[in-house]
Amino acid sequence: MFINDCAITSFELTKPHNLERIEQLLPAPAKVFMQTHLWPMLRANRAINEIYLKINLASGITIPVLLNAEAGQFNEKPCYRWVIMPAAERASFEQELLKARQQLQEYAQEADSNRHLLQTVLDGAEDIAILAISKLGKVRFGNKGAETLLERQTDNLINHAIDSLFHTLNPCPQLEAFYKTMSLGSLASKTTAEDTPSPYVFETNIHRKNNTFIDVQIQIRCLDSQLVSDDIHYIMLITNISERKQYETLQNNFIATISHELRTPLTSILGSLNLLNSGKLVDLPSPAKKLIHITEENTHRLKHLISDIMDFSKLKTTKMSINMDYHPLSTLLETAVEEHRFYRIEKNISIIADTPPATLVYLDPQRFLQIMSNLLSNAIKFSPNQSTITLTAEILENSVSITVTDQGPGVSAEFLPMLFTPFRQQDEVSNRQFEGSGLGLAISKGLAEAMGGNITYETAENSGAAFTLHVQRNAQ
């Protein structure tokens, strides 16, 4: 009734072929077997499964084949459908199938081993709570650290909503934003490897089951939705930082106390040195005056260092007083430049300030001048002799950007990540060229943020440094 092209090619038949009965393909022994066994079996069971035979090709060669047959219909007529596959191909297929099955078993064993190893590692991190969270905020996994930190057994973690497991002492905008994202389900559903956001890290405090609050650092990572299994889309890491916070408080209080105790006698020393240097008590010889002058300069430097340490300590303990109000920008910039008029005489450095239009800014004038003093003194310190420092102001709709640009060496790419880190300087060797505590930029950035602004850095066109202070124009 019908022979497909593969059969015609495989059995070396001609077109039009003269094959009328299936037995014409078989050698004599196979024809006998067909009549005595296969036909009776096919008529009785309506199917033959995996019978090995030999078939004659037109070239006289005999090849082994695997035969399957079943009763059916063709063009609405009853028929038998014969499927013949060369035995060599079947053997090769079975070998490939067996090899693939063995590989799957090896992969399954490796996956079980990796799963066990991962579980052991995660449970070993007892001081960090690790939670796997679904797109809609359900906890799908929690390690032993999560049980310890949240004081809940695993059964009380799995499939519970993350926002029901702990609460913060004060409103935490970062957590609220995360909960809102999960309720919408929009971020995780579209996240791919190209647009996976950076880890979201913040500090807060959480209310545990035993009615106690602990300080924690929370890190939230959004996973690539194309690579994760099940419906896990977020990993949340919660670290108990209560001991670190207590240590920082003790350290900052210690620094503040010591700095205060140092500044009190230092004020008396400076007063005495000023009086001696004035000549009102006694007329000192020139060598003595020179020594007193050197001592007075170093005492002033020590006083400034102590003031920086106290300011940094206040910023860390949120005890810094900030008095916000509206002030004219041009007056503040003129004062900042005038205060540094005598600091640049020895190096013959000029400061060019673009006078901005009459604009009010919302800030603390004392803290603003402190920031500008740090930026201008840094620019003077790192600028070469007979160079120029420019001070420009850009008036925006809601803010003002003040940029201090020098012609110095700028900041190296390696040091940029640590630029605003306290007690860090680009040249930290013992015989470095420029003195300083490494606190100026850290304090300036903290003061700017306390006033609702910020400080940024970029390399100037002449390869120098360009620091920009952003402050508000209106109360927000």
Side-chain angles (χ1 to χ4, degrees):
M1 297 176 67
F2 172 77
I3 300 176
N4 71 344
D5 290 340
C6 180
I8 293 173
T9 303
S10 300
F11 303 144
E12 301 177 353
L13 302 177
T14 59
K15 290 186 177 181
H17 61 81
N18 57 358
L19 185 65
E20 296 180 355
R21 298 179 60 84
I22 191 79
E23 287 90 341
Q24 291 178 244
L25 292 173
L26 307 178
K31 290 180 180 179
V32 174
F33 183 71
M34 173 77 76
Q35 294 296 328
T36 58
H37 291 80
L38 296 186
W39 278 116
M41 187 186 305
L42 186 56
R43 293 189 181 104
N45 302 328
R46 299 182 58 81
I48 296 174
N49 295 319
E50 299 189 350
I51 297 295
Y52 283 95
L53 293 173
K54 287 188 176 181
I55 283 184
N56 289 328
L57 302 182
S59 59
I61 299 174
T62 301
I63 62 170
V65 296
L66 180 68
L67 172 66
N68 287 271
E70 65 176 1
Q73 294 282 329
F74 182 80
N75 288 340
E76 299 181 354
K77 296 180 180 181
C79 72
Y80 291 106
R81 293 194 287 264
W82 302 80
V83 180
I84 304 173
M85 177 187 292
E89 294 183 11
R90 168 61 183 259
S92 175
F93 173 75
E94 289 181 344
Q95 285 295 111
E96 291 295 328
L97 185 62
L98 180 61
K99 183 178 179 181
R101 188 174 297 139
Q102 291 174 343
Q103 287 181 339
L104 285 176
Q105 291 176 349
E106 292 175 359
Y107 292 153
Q109 292 175 354
E110 184 179 358
D112 288 339
S113 175
N114 291 336
R115 188 181 298 110
H116 175 71
L117 176 61
L118 179 60
Q119 184 72 49
T120 303
V121 171
L122 294 178
D123 287 340
E126 296 182 355
D127 55 341
I128 301 178
I130 303 176
L131 300 174
I133 304 171
S134 72
K135 179 173 62 177
L136 298 179
K138 300 291 185 180
V139 176
R140 301 304 188 205
F141 168 82
N143 70 334
K144 294 293 183 183
E147 294 184 5
T148 302
L149 191 144
L150 300 177
E151 296 182 336
R152 293 172 179 265
Q153 296 299 318
T154 303
D155 294 341
N156 291 327
L157 290 173
I158 305 303
N159 294 327
H160 280 66
I162 184 65
D163 57 358
S164 68
L165 295 180
F166 53 81
H167 304 281
T168 56
L169 179 61
N170 299 309
C172 181
Q174 295 93 339
L175 273 180
E176 294 299 327
F178 177 58
Y179 296 154
K180 184 177 181 181
T181 298
M182 289 187 300
S183 65
L184 296 175
S186 57
L187 176 63
S189 61
K190 300 186 289 188
T191 303
T192 61
E194 289 75 18
D195 57 10
T196 299
S198 302
Y200 193 28
V201 183
F202 56 92
E203 294 182 1
T204 184
N205 48 62
I206 61 174
H207 186 193
R208 295 202 290 184
K209 192 176 180 181
N210 63 354
N211 293 324
T212 61
F213 284 90
I214 59 171
D215 293 306
V216 296
Q217 181 190 72
I218 297 180
Q219 182 177 147
I220 301 173
R221 294 175 177 265
C222 185
L223 304 177
D224 183 354
S225 57
Q226 297 178 353
L227 301 178
V228 294
S229 60
D230 300 328
D231 63 342
I232 297 175
H233 288 271
Y234 304 98
I235 295 294
M236 177 180 285
L237 308 178
I238 308 175
T239 307
N240 188 345
I241 58 172
S242 298
E243 291 186 4
R244 192 194 82 189
K245 285 290 186 180
Q246 293 175 2
Y247 172 75
E248 288 179 352
T249 301
L250 290 174
Q251 173 183 315
N252 292 328
N253 290 339
F254 173 77
I255 292 175
T257 302
I258 293 299
S259 300
H260 179 74
E261 294 298 326
L262 286 173
R263 192 162 64 170
T264 301
L266 197 62
T267 303
S268 300
I269 294 173
L270 270 175
S272 301
L273 289 172
N274 288 332
L275 192 58
L276 285 173
N277 200 25
S278 66
K280 295 179 179 179
L281 293 179
V282 62
D283 188 15
L284 297 173
S286 296
K289 287 184 177 181
K290 186 175 181 180
L291 288 175
I292 290 176
H293 179 69
I294 294 174
T295 305
E296 187 178 9
E297 284 188 344
N298 283 280
T299 306
H300 275 293
R301 184 181 300 172
L302 183 58
K303 182 181 179 181
H304 290 151
L305 175 59
I306 293 173
S307 297
D308 283 347
I309 294 175
M310 290 190 68
D311 285 343
F312 180 72
S313 176
K314 289 177 182 178
L315 283 170
K316 295 290 287 184
T317 56
T318 65
K319 294 180 180 179
M320 176 70 71
S321 60
I322 303 293
N323 301 310
M324 304 289 285
D325 205 348
Y326 289 95
H327 298 273
L329 176 62
S330 57
T331 303
L332 292 171
L333 294 181
E334 289 172 3
T335 303
V337 173
E338 183 64 23
E339 287 181 351
H340 290 75
R341 184 164 59 89
F342 297 104
Y343 293 168
R344 57 185 189 274
I345 293 178
E346 295 179 358
K347 301 179 71 173
N348 194 21
I349 293 175
S350 58
I351 298 180
I352 300 176
D354 291 341
T355 303
T359 303
L360 291 178
V361 285
Y362 187 71
L363 45 72
D364 183 327
Q366 178 185 351
R367 302 307 178 188
F368 174 82
L369 291 175
Q370 185 176 351
I371 295 172
M372 293 304 301
S373 176
N374 280 327
L375 297 182
L376 287 172
S377 60
N378 271 353
I380 294 170
K381 179 168 64 174
F382 291 103
S383 292
N385 294 339
Q386 298 180 348
S387 60
T388 301
I389 296 171
T390 58
L391 193 152
T392 58
E394 181 182 6
I395 312 299
L396 304 175
E397 181 179 358
N398 297 316
S399 64
V400 175
S401 299
I402 302 102
T403 302
V404 177
T405 307
D406 62 46
Q407 297 176 330
V411 179
S412 65
E414 295 79 10
F415 188 72
L416 274 178
M418 299 170 286
L419 183 59
F420 296 99
T421 304
F423 302 107
R424 297 300 297 268
Q425 289 186 296
Q426 183 166 270
D427 184 8
E428 294 190 328
V429 296
S430 58
N431 60 343
R432 61 174 181 252
Q433 179 181 359
F434 304 104
E435 296 295 332
S437 63
L439 283 173
L441 287 177
I443 292 173
S444 298
K445 188 173 182 66
L447 291 175
E449 292 174 351
M451 293 190 296
N454 193 18
I455 293 181
T456 57
Y457 169 84
E458 62 180 11
T459 303
E461 294 182 359
N462 58 0
S463 299
F467 287 91
T468 302
L469 169 62
H470 308 274
V471 295
Q472 301 179 45
R473 291 186 63 185
N474 305 296
Q476 297 178 355

